[in-house]
């Protein structure tokens, strides 16, 4: 049985209350198995503002009842592993950089190359290693830059981050549906034509 639950009251973890006139109301479902087993499905967002730090009390209660947390990927564990796991470091490098002695400018047309370089320099993101990173990486870095300009949006306020912090506090097992490296490999593994199209959409937004 799949039941959508109400958002309930907000849990503030001792922090200042969010505006009462604009509460966060996420999608939250309770799933009951044939033998009474329970699991909860939570429609999270990974980037948010102060409101997403104040998850409804019903979600906190379900979290404390659950035996484990399953997320898209454990960003904390991924960052920690990158510090010591040599195989992961190599896989990250292979996905992040061109390893055939080409630069991003070899994979874009001349007009887009000039526009991209100018945009990166304007954002203060250009450095000596930038040309060797893949076009999808440039796209992600520019998007993140504009996302944080003049707004309170941050990955630190994302619901996934809040749940992972709770899991660490309670020493609750965390399972990944995907992995950080598989996501990076997917996005940077798109064809040159698709990565260039993503950048062209970014140019329009910029």
């Amino acid at each position: 049985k799949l039941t959508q639950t109400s958002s309930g009251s907000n849990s503030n973890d001792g922090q200042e209350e969010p505006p009462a006139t604009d509460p966060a109301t996420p999608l939250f479902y309770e799933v009951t198995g044939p033998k009474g087993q329970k699991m909860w499905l939570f429609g999270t967002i990974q980037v948010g503002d102060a409101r997403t730090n104040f998850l409804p009390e019903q979600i906190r209660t379900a979290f404390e009842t659950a035996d484990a947390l399953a997320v898209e990927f454990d960003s904390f564990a991924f960052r920690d592993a990158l510090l010591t796991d040599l195989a992961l470091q190599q896989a990250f490098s292979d996905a992040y950089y061109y390893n055939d002695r080409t630069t991003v400018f070899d994979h874009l047309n001349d007009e887009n190359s000039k526009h991209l370089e100018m945009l990166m320099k304007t954002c203060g993101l250009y450095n000596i290693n930038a040309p060797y990173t893949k076009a999808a990486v440039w796209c992600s870095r520019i998007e993140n830059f504009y996302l944080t300009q003049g707004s309170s949006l941050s990955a630190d306020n994302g619901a996934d981050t809040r749940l992972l912090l709770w899991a660490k506090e309670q020493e609750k097992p965390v399972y990944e549906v995907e992995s950080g490296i598989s996501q990076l490999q997917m996005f940077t593994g798109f064809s040159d034509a698709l990565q260039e199209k993503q950048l062209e959409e970014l140019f329009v937004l910029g």
Side-chain angles (χ1 to χ4, degrees):
K1 183 176 69 173
L2 179 65
T3 305
Q4 183 174 5
T5 68
S6 61
S7 59
S9 60
N10 284 347
S11 172
N12 63 12
D13 290 334
Q15 302 178 51
E16 183 181 351
E17 287 283 357
T21 56
D22 193 18
T25 54
L27 291 174
F28 186 54
Y29 295 88
E30 181 180 287
V31 183
T32 304
K35 297 182 179 180
Q37 317 97 307
K38 288 187 181 295
M39 67 178 292
W40 293 266
L41 301 177
F42 182 17
T44 65
I45 57 174
Q46 294 174 337
V47 176
D49 57 23
R51 292 170 300 166
T52 49
N53 263 327
F54 299 84
L55 299 178
E57 185 64 35
Q58 195 166 11
I59 292 175
R60 182 63 181 256
T61 300
F63 178 86
E64 292 176 347
T65 302
D67 296 323
L69 170 69
V71 291
E72 185 177 353
F73 80 95
D74 187 339
S75 57
F76 295 143
F78 182 63
R79 287 197 295 264
D80 291 343
L82 272 177
L83 297 175
T84 57
D85 189 328
L86 296 181
L88 182 61
Q89 291 172 7
Q90 184 62 54
F92 182 91
S93 178
D94 290 341
Y96 201 84
Y97 297 99
Y98 294 109
N99 56 13
D100 55 2
R101 298 186 178 181
T102 62
T103 71
V104 68
F105 305 119
D106 297 314
H107 297 262
L108 305 174
N109 65 49
D110 290 343
E111 182 180 355
N112 284 340
S113 292
K114 292 177 182 178
H115 197 162
L116 178 60
E117 183 176 8
M118 179 186 68
L119 189 55
M120 285 285 283
K121 289 180 177 178
T122 300
C123 296
L125 301 173
Y126 194 89
N127 57 47
I128 193 172
N129 292 319
Y132 302 99
T133 58
K134 295 184 179 179
V137 175
W138 287 54
C139 187
S140 177
R141 295 190 66 192
I142 294 170
E143 284 180 335
N144 289 336
F145 174 83
Y146 279 110
L147 183 66
T148 58
Q149 299 306 298
S151 76
S152 59
L153 295 176
S154 169
D156 291 338
N157 290 326
D160 289 60
T161 298
R162 173 61 52 189
L163 293 172
L164 285 168
L165 288 172
W166 286 354
K168 288 184 176 296
E169 291 171 2
Q170 299 184 22
E171 299 183 347
K172 196 180 291 287
V174 176
Y175 299 105
E176 297 181 303
V177 177
E178 301 178 17
S179 69
I181 193 62
S182 68
Q183 284 199 348
L184 179 62
Q185 290 169 335
M186 177 184 69
F187 288 120
T188 62
F190 292 150
S191 68
D192 287 349
L194 181 53
Q195 292 188 50
E196 187 159 30
K197 184 62 66 175
Q198 290 176 311
L199 285 167
E200 288 174 353
E201 292 179 356
L202 197 63
F203 296 157
V204 173
L205 294 175

